[in-house]
Amino acid sequence: MASAGPHLSLWKQGLGAVPDEVWGRTELRSLVLADNGLTRISGRVGALRNLRMLDLGHNALHDLPPELGHLEGLSDFLYLHDNRLSALPSTLGRLTSLRYLNISDNAFEVLPEAVTEMSGLIELRVTDNHLTHLPPSIARLTRLRELHLRNNRLTELPAAIGELLELRQIDLRGNPVARLPDALLKLPRLEKLDLRWVTTLNTPAWFTELEHRGCAVYL
């Protein structure tokens, strides 16, 4: 095991299953289990209360144990990308200190409600899924600065997006977006609105105002 004090990396070790001794490492602050062909994570993960970063990306996970919600100290990064997830345990809503979440390249058709309860999120990545809409509860993510939604099935954004006053970047590339709310004009810090590979949108006249305010709009 590649271990340095409270940091353990088992990246790309062909494990198939997490060794039992990992769950006894309660001192760990970061744990990398990416790219191991994992199909399940034991509920014992909930004992790793000191974790600040957990990487479960590039595996074959269909679901996650509710005990992940016990990791309320998880404040830096949670990587769940490139798995087979279509839902998340509601208990993950307890991760209110988490700043970065990546659930890209999975099978989500709706954004899990637990995600909108992660009030500390600064960056959210949900690219390459099957989302058809965002819930109005996205407005809870008042600290969010980056929202990455590339390659989904979104045709619009909710007006509630205008409540995310810290938002700097919105990536909507490759979505069948037909309309956007003028609530985007309420975002005082918006720097980048990426709409490349979107062929379904009639360009709103207020894009000019956005750009005059310093927001780069890519079409």
Side-chain angles (χ1 to χ4, degrees):
M1 293 186 184
S3 181
H7 307 289
L8 175 62
S9 176
L10 294 171
W11 175 68
K12 210 169 186 176
Q13 296 295 303
L15 297 176
V18 181
D20 282 344
E21 58 264 32
V22 170
W23 308 128
R25 297 285 303 276
T26 55
E27 81 285 1
L28 288 177
R29 296 185 68 191
S30 69
L31 175 59
V32 179
L33 295 169
D35 212 346
N36 276 295
L38 302 178
T39 58
R40 68 178 298 272
I41 296 295
S42 169
R44 293 179 64 190
V45 68
L48 305 182
R49 300 293 182 93
N50 290 308
L51 280 184
R52 294 171 60 95
M53 186 278 279
L54 176 61
D55 187 350
L56 298 174
H58 304 295
N59 281 296
L61 300 169
H62 286 273
D63 51 42
L64 297 170
E67 289 84 356
L68 266 181
H70 295 169
L71 306 182
E72 294 180 21
L74 202 64
S75 58
D76 294 346
F77 302 94
L78 176 57
Y79 298 95
L80 300 173
H81 58 294
D82 192 18
N83 277 285
R84 299 170 187 175
L85 301 169
S86 58
L88 295 177
S90 61
T91 53
L92 264 64
R94 300 175 188 168
L95 305 182
T96 56
S97 296
L98 187 65
R99 291 178 285 178
Y100 175 102
L101 175 66
N102 191 341
I103 57 172
S104 299
D105 200 7
N106 276 288
F108 293 102
E109 295 183 2
V110 297
L111 186 68
E113 195 69 15
V115 173
T116 68
E117 294 171 359
M118 297 177 181
S119 55
L121 283 181
I122 291 174
E123 184 170 347
L124 174 59
R125 293 183 172 267
V126 200
T127 68
D128 297 283
N129 276 282
H130 309 300
L131 301 185
T132 58
H133 69 283
L134 291 182
S137 55
I138 192 82
R140 296 172 183 161
L141 303 181
T142 55
R143 298 186 62 199
L144 199 66
R145 297 183 187 181
E146 297 186 25
L147 179 57
H148 297 269
L149 299 164
R150 185 185 72 240
N151 295 338
N152 277 281
R153 299 172 183 173
L154 298 168
T155 58
E156 60 183 352
L157 294 179
I161 203 85
E163 298 180 43
L164 304 182
L165 300 182
E166 295 295 326
L167 205 55
R168 270 75 161 174
Q169 297 183 28
I170 306 175
D171 184 356
L172 288 165
R173 286 177 290 171
N175 281 278
V177 177
R179 55 188 173 275
L180 290 171
D182 56 12
L184 291 177
L185 284 169
K186 298 179 182 178
L187 303 178
R189 294 177 174 82
L190 193 63
E191 299 171 352
K192 181 179 179 181
L193 176 59
D194 201 337
L195 292 158
R196 286 175 288 173
W197 319 325
V198 174
T199 60
T200 47
L201 180 67
N202 289 323
T203 305
W206 48 263
F207 273 10
T208 302
E209 183 178 345
L210 266 185
E211 294 204 298
H212 283 164
R213 283 172 28 193
C215 176
V217 180
Y218 294 95
L219 295 168

